[in-house]
């Protein structure tokens, strides 16, 4: 078979990678408009610091037997905060299990998150952000949900967008590919934010796929794929804002691959030192997002030691208060296990509920 | 009540979908070949022309995704009817059905009901062989958080969908492939029916024949044969496998003191085992004989017609089981 130049090639692609502020906290080019406003940058910084404070407290609670297995987002704060800051309140977030920063930004209370991670599902019945989905513990099974939400939003006619956050490991799953394909075929308003933290528990991304980027997985589905420095909150916000804007204008779906790094264990049930070189982790600490933005702000003369101390104190107080409120919440009665099974409990299950009540429920 | 009209099971399902779509703009139908092709069993023929591609939506071969999309759309405010071509394809969507649709209300602390209806064809008898002839409805009935309907009559084919769409929780409807061509009469204005209770399709005092779905008609035929021998069999159509209407089952058995469960599904761990267990638990002292079971043989359903029929419950087997329970 002879290859005919110009005929044998039917597609070429490139993946754009976006960064605004480098690891040392220096702008690498002109910054997006919002970055000219100190209040905007300070809000992003606060969001990340609050997230890190929440993570630290959650891990501490778990280590002292006061919380269940917990997935820390240490090192990935810029992904969650960057994407949430780009969203409108009326958009719909479908998170995986490491986007506490996005949930907090969108109005989910830290107390609710503690309650959820403490094993009390009432924590996912958010007082605010009512349309946002609870954490998806199953990997990638929420990607089709996001496409369904996007379809409902499209039919609803308002310029709203579904934002689905998934990890690198989720991009090996069939649900991911199937959902991506349909989002492309139906030109739906959805943004898939792939948070590539380089590790699927113990398997590095290089051993998950031969694809050079995860963003390029979008191309086979006919949708745009783009990479962003996931430790650069300004870049994440800018790239996600662009994808959201495109979706609102009827331009369809986008896959954003945010390159970040999981500085902590997979969860509190994991010990990453068994499979991951500590030298690799140490090197990655030089790229982490909170210090990066602080370095930028400080260099620009936008951030003082006093402001830093005030912020740390404020975040610490807020998270401590939330933890205290969580600890003070009375546990659900045993009969509550039937409360969220059906809208109305079928008569056939009444006997089981009575049995639980008899054993010491309410 | 209006004049009865001649119709078929297929037409009843179709009119149920059609009516739901006219009544409620949030309702749509989604699945493989439901649009231009008109559905694998021709249920949705003509609906695309009437409602357009936005509401009669052909999907790619992605059961896991389009079932999940149905969940997402339901939570987004729509009222999806997801058609899974046949029950075996639903295996590809198990994670969505069992691990998502059935758990989201729990996982969201009570915030997210999932008003999703999934229809699928079930059962054997059309020579579709081992991988397209399963009866898995009893297996889905194992799952908390789901409702499992098995319409056998024209009235239920027409009326269950309506009620299912109004239910705030996920409902699975299993349409037996041998029922689509079944014809009969039905009131032209037949409306919604309950999705909670079993129904006595034939009254009798000597033995209770408990069944559902495609096996109902074989069971009614068996009851006719038994009547010729002077045995008055009562036929109970379970209609709903989850939640199971134990009260109607127990009341019937208390009257007849004998029970035969007829289930095309596999015997071990199946719905027939559950019914037998409930009778043991709640009507043991009413029984004059052990509960009998007539089930599908525990083999992959064969392709060849004579082998396929050999694997399924038949009228003679039901009659024989009823006789045994009466000591004849």
């Amino acid at each position: 078979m002879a290859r005919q130049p110009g005929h044998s090639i039917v597609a070429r692609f490139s993946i754009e990678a976006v960064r605004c502020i480098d690891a040392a906290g220096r702008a690498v080019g002109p910054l997006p408009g919002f970055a000219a406003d100190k209040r905007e940058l300070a809000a992003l910084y606060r969001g990340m610091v609050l997230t890190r404070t929440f993570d630290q407290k959650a891990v501490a609670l778990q280590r002292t037997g006061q919380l269940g297995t917990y997935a820390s987002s240490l090192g990935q704060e810029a992904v969650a905060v960057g994407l949430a800051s780009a969203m409108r309140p009326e958009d719909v977030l479908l998170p995986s299990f490491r986007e506490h920063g996005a949930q907090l930004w969108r109005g989910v209370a830290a107390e609710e998150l503690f309650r959820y991670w403490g094993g009390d599902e009432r924590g996912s019945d958010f007082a605010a952000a009512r349309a946002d989905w609870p954490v998806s513990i199953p990997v990638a099974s929420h990607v089709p949900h996001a496409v369904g939400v996007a379809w409902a939003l499209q039919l609803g006619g308002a310029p709203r967008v579904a934002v689905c956050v998934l990890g690198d490991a989720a991009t090996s799953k069939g649900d991911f590919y199937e959902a991506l394909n349909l989002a492309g075929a139906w030109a739906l308003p959805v943004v898939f934010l792939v948070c590539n933290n380089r590790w699927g528990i113990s398997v590095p991304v290089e051993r998950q796929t031969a694809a050079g980027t995860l963003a390029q997985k979008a191309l086979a589905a006919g949708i745009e794929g783009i990479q962003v420095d996931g430790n650069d909150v300004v870049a994440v916000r800018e790239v996600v804002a662009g994808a959201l804007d495109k979706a609102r204008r009827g331009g369809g779906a986008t896959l954003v691959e945010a390159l970040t790094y999981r500085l902590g264990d997979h969860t509190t049930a994991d010990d990453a030192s068994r499979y991951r070189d500590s030298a690799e982790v140490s090197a990655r600490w030089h790229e982490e997002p909170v210090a990066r933005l602080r370095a930028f702000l400080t260099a620009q003369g936008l951030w003082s030691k006093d402001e830093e101390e005030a912020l740390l104190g404020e975040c610490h107080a807020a998270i401590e208060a939330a933890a205290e409120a969580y600890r003070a919440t009375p546990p659900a009665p045993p009969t509550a296990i039937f409360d969220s099974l059906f809208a109305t409990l079928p008569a056939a299950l009444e006997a089981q509920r009575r049995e639980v009540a008899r054993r010491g429920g309410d | 009540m209006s004049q009865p009209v001649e119709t078929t099971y297929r037409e009843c399902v179709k009119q149920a979908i059609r009516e739901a779509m006219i009544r409620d703009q949030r309702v749509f139908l989604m699945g493989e070949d439901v649009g231009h092709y008109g559905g694998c069993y021709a249920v949705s023929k003509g609906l695309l022309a009437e409602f357009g591609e936005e509401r009669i939506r052909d999907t790619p071969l992605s059961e896991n995704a389009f079932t999940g999309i149905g969940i997402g759309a339901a939570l987004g405010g729509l009222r999806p009817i997801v058609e899974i071509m046949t029950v075996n394809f639903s295996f590809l969507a198990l994670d969505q059905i069992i691990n998502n649709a059935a758990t989201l209300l729990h996982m969201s602390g009570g915030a997210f009901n999932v008003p999703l209806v999934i229809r699928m064809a079930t059962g054997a008898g059309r020579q579709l062989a081992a991988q397209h002839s399963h009866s898995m409805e009893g297996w889905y009935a194992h799952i908390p958080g789901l409702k499992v309907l098995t319409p056998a009559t024209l009235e239920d084919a027409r009326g269950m969908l309506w009620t299912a769409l109004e239910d705030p929780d996920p409902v699975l409807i299993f349409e037996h492939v041998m029922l689509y061509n079944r014809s009969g009469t039905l009131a032209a204005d037949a409306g919604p029916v309950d999705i909670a209770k079993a129904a006595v399709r034939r009254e009798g005092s000597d033995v209770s024949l408990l069944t559902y779905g495609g096996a109902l008609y074989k069971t009614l035929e068996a009851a006719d044969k038994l009547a010729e021998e002077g045995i008055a069999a009562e036929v109970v159509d379970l209609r709903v496998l989850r939640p199971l209407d134990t009260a109607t089952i127990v009341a019937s058995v208390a009257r007849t003191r004998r029970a035969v469960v007829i289930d095309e599904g596999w015997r071990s761990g199946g719905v027939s085992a559950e019914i037998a267990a409930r009778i043991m638990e709640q009507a043991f002292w009413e029984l004059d004989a052990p509960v009998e079971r007539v089930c599908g043989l525990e083999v992959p359903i064969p392709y060849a017609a004579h082998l396929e029929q050999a694997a399924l419950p038949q009228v003679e087997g039901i009659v024989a089981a009823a006789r045994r329970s009466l000591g004849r």
Side-chain angles (χ1 to χ4, degrees):
Chain A
M1 187 176 68
R3 284 184 182 244
Q4 297 179 313
H7 292 273
S8 59
I9 296 166
V10 294
R12 289 183 191 276
F13 72 89
S14 60
I15 298 293
E16 189 189 354
V18 179
R19 168 185 281 174
C20 296
I21 297 174
D22 70 13
R26 291 179 299 244
V28 295
L31 294 180
F34 70 83
D37 185 340
K38 178 194 166 175
R39 287 166 306 180
E40 295 276 8
L41 294 179
L44 295 174
Y45 185 63
R46 180 190 179 277
M48 292 196 294
V49 171
L50 183 70
T51 303
R52 187 162 293 185
T53 311
F54 177 83
D55 272 325
Q56 285 166 344
K57 185 66 188 178
V59 171
L61 287 170
Q62 192 279 333
R63 295 298 188 221
T64 52
Q66 300 175 82
L67 201 77
T69 300
Y70 180 72
S72 168
S73 67
L74 181 65
Q76 302 175 204
E77 297 88 348
V79 178
V81 170
L83 76 93
S85 64
M87 291 173 69
R88 292 181 185 170
E90 66 268 27
D91 294 332
V92 179
L93 176 68
L94 295 96
S96 95
F97 46 80
R98 227 184 286 277
E99 286 74 44
H100 328 297
Q103 293 181 297
L104 291 169
W105 185 282
R106 289 179 58 74
V108 175
E111 180 190 337
E112 292 174 322
L113 293 180
F114 281 137
R115 203 176 291 167
Y116 168 75
W117 289 98
D120 185 342
E121 270 74 24
R122 292 177 296 181
S124 289
D125 184 7
F126 310 136
R130 295 289 299 166
D132 281 5
W133 283 52
V135 160
S136 179
I137 294 293
V139 171
S141 67
H142 65 314
V143 187
H145 301 162
V147 176
V149 169
W151 186 20
L153 296 178
Q154 186 185 61
L155 292 179
R160 300 167 64 191
V161 184
V163 177
C164 181
V165 190
L166 53 147
D168 44 275
T171 67
S172 295
K173 286 202 64 203
D175 351 26
F176 164 76
Y177 284 107
E178 289 189 16
L180 212 64
N181 182 59
L182 267 156
W186 295 356
L188 295 174
V190 55
V191 175
F192 304 103
L193 194 297
V194 177
C195 184
N196 179 358
N197 70 12
R198 316 300 170 106
W199 289 89
I201 305 187
S202 66
V203 181
V205 73
E206 294 78 16
R207 282 199 278 127
Q208 297 174 29
T209 178
T213 71
L214 302 181
Q216 74 202 51
K217 295 191 177 194
L219 304 185
I223 68 176
E224 182 190 357
I226 184 169
Q227 269 189 338
V228 66
D229 183 335
N231 288 356
D232 174 355
V233 69
V234 172
V236 173
R237 173 166 163 176
E238 178 66 3
V239 167
V240 174
L244 287 166
D245 185 53
K246 184 182 83 175
R248 281 189 227 292
R249 288 185 285 105
T254 307
L255 188 157
V256 178
E257 177 190 5
L259 293 159
T260 180
Y261 190 81
R262 194 191 82 206
L263 289 172
D265 296 330
H266 170 65
T267 67
T268 50
D270 174 43
D271 174 8
S273 69
R274 289 185 300 148
Y275 52 79
R276 198 167 67 169
D277 188 355
S278 62
E280 175 186 312
V281 183
S282 301
R284 292 289 190 168
W285 269 101
H286 297 296
E287 301 173 4
E288 67 96 351
V290 178
R292 181 185 303 205
L293 185 58
R294 185 170 58 238
F296 175 79
L297 288 169
T298 307
Q300 300 291 310
L302 298 172
W303 198 246
S304 67
K305 192 163 180 293
D306 287 349
E307 284 171 303
E308 176 74 8
E309 281 174 6
L311 176 64
L312 292 178
E314 181 228 321
C315 290
H316 180 76
I319 295 302
E320 284 298 326
E324 202 43 56
Y326 154 66
R327 281 188 295 228
T329 307
T335 51
I337 57 184
F338 290 102
D339 290 349
S340 300
L341 186 56
F342 293 103
T344 309
L345 192 67
L349 287 171
E350 282 294 349
Q352 291 183 31
R353 190 181 189 282
R354 279 197 301 274
E355 169 64 15
V356 168
R358 193 187 60 75
R359 289 197 306 239
D362 60 3
Chain B
M1 194 152 163
S2 65
Q3 284 298 308
V5 293
E6 273 293 318
T7 186
T8 62
Y9 185 98
R10 171 183 292 107
E11 186 63 19
C12 286
V13 177
K14 177 186 177 168
Q15 289 306 324
I17 297 170
R18 201 176 152 263
E19 191 170 55
M21 298 198 59
I22 292 168
R23 196 179 65 243
D24 187 342
Q25 288 299 307
R26 300 172 303 171
V27 174
F28 65 87
L29 177 71
M30 166 168 63
E32 289 156 355
D33 300 305
V34 298
H36 293 92
Y37 190 76
C40 181
Y41 289 98
V43 165
S44 52
K45 212 163 222 165
L47 295 183
L48 176 66
E50 185 171 357
F51 297 103
E53 288 187 350
E54 220 163 51
R55 299 183 68 200
I56 303 292
R57 178 77 56 135
D58 278 324
T59 66
L61 303 194
S62 304
E63 289 83 1
N64 195 16
F66 70 69
T67 304
I69 287 168
I71 293 170
L75 266 66
L78 301 178
R79 284 293 177 274
I81 303 170
V82 169
E83 176 176 313
I84 296 179
M85 195 181 274
T86 82
V87 63
N88 52 281
F89 299 159
S90 76
F91 303 162
L92 296 158
L94 280 186
D95 183 56
Q96 288 298 339
I97 298 171
I98 296 174
N99 216 19
N100 287 278
T103 62
L104 264 167
L105 185 61
H106 173 83
M107 292 306 292
S108 64
F112 284 1
N113 289 90
V114 182
L116 171 71
V117 173
I118 304 175
R119 297 173 40 244
M120 49 188 131
T122 188
R126 282 179 170 256
Q127 283 198 269
L128 295 171
Q131 291 159 325
H132 295 80
S133 301
H134 303 80
S135 294
M136 301 307 292
E137 50 278 359
W139 193 67
Y140 279 104
H142 183 62
I143 311 300
L146 300 178
K147 291 182 180 168
V148 176
L149 316 184
T150 54
T153 63
L154 300 183
E155 188 190 18
D156 282 350
R158 184 79 161 81
M160 277 184 162
L161 182 73
W162 184 321
T163 318
L165 281 166
E166 289 184 340
D167 196 289
D169 298 313
V171 179
L172 273 49
I173 303 180
F174 291 87
E175 300 161 7
H176 196 286
V177 292
M178 297 307 285
L179 294 178
Y180 285 120
N181 288 333
R182 205 169 175 87
S183 59
T185 56
L186 184 73
D189 64 348
V193 297
D194 79 86
I195 55 169
K197 290 193 159 39
V200 176
R201 299 295 183 198
R202 177 188 175 119
E203 292 190 350
S205 53
D206 294 334
V207 58
S208 297
L209 307 180
L210 311 165
T211 190
Y212 69 91
L216 173 64
Y217 297 96
K218 288 176 181 174
T219 303
L220 287 168
E221 205 182 319
D224 285 340
K225 287 209 159 39
L226 289 164
E228 290 167 13
E229 302 174 16
I231 298 170
E234 177 150 299
V235 177
V236 176
D237 175 4
L238 299 171
R239 297 181 67 244
V240 182
L241 301 189
R242 184 174 196 93
L244 203 54
D245 176 11
T246 315
T248 298
I249 296 168
V250 168
S252 177
V253 173
R255 276 194 300 276
T256 65
R257 312 184 81 83
R258 292 169 179 84
V260 180
V261 187
I262 302 97
D263 176 13
E264 188 178 308
W266 291 311
R267 174 185 298 248
S268 299
V271 76
S272 66
E274 178 60 32
I275 291 166
R278 290 196 189 196
I279 292 171
M280 293 280 280
E281 288 166 348
Q282 298 184 38
F284 182 77
W285 302 107
E286 315 291 343
L287 288 175
D288 283 347
V291 176
E292 292 277 348
R293 286 195 278 168
V294 182
C295 300
L297 300 186
E298 297 189 315
V299 297
I301 300 296
Y303 187 173
H306 68 295
L307 299 178
E308 181 181 41
Q309 291 306 315
L312 300 175
Q314 301 295 352
V315 175
E316 302 71 39
I318 302 168
V319 169
R323 283 201 204 109
R324 276 199 304 278
S325 76
L326 283 150
R328 299 195 195 176

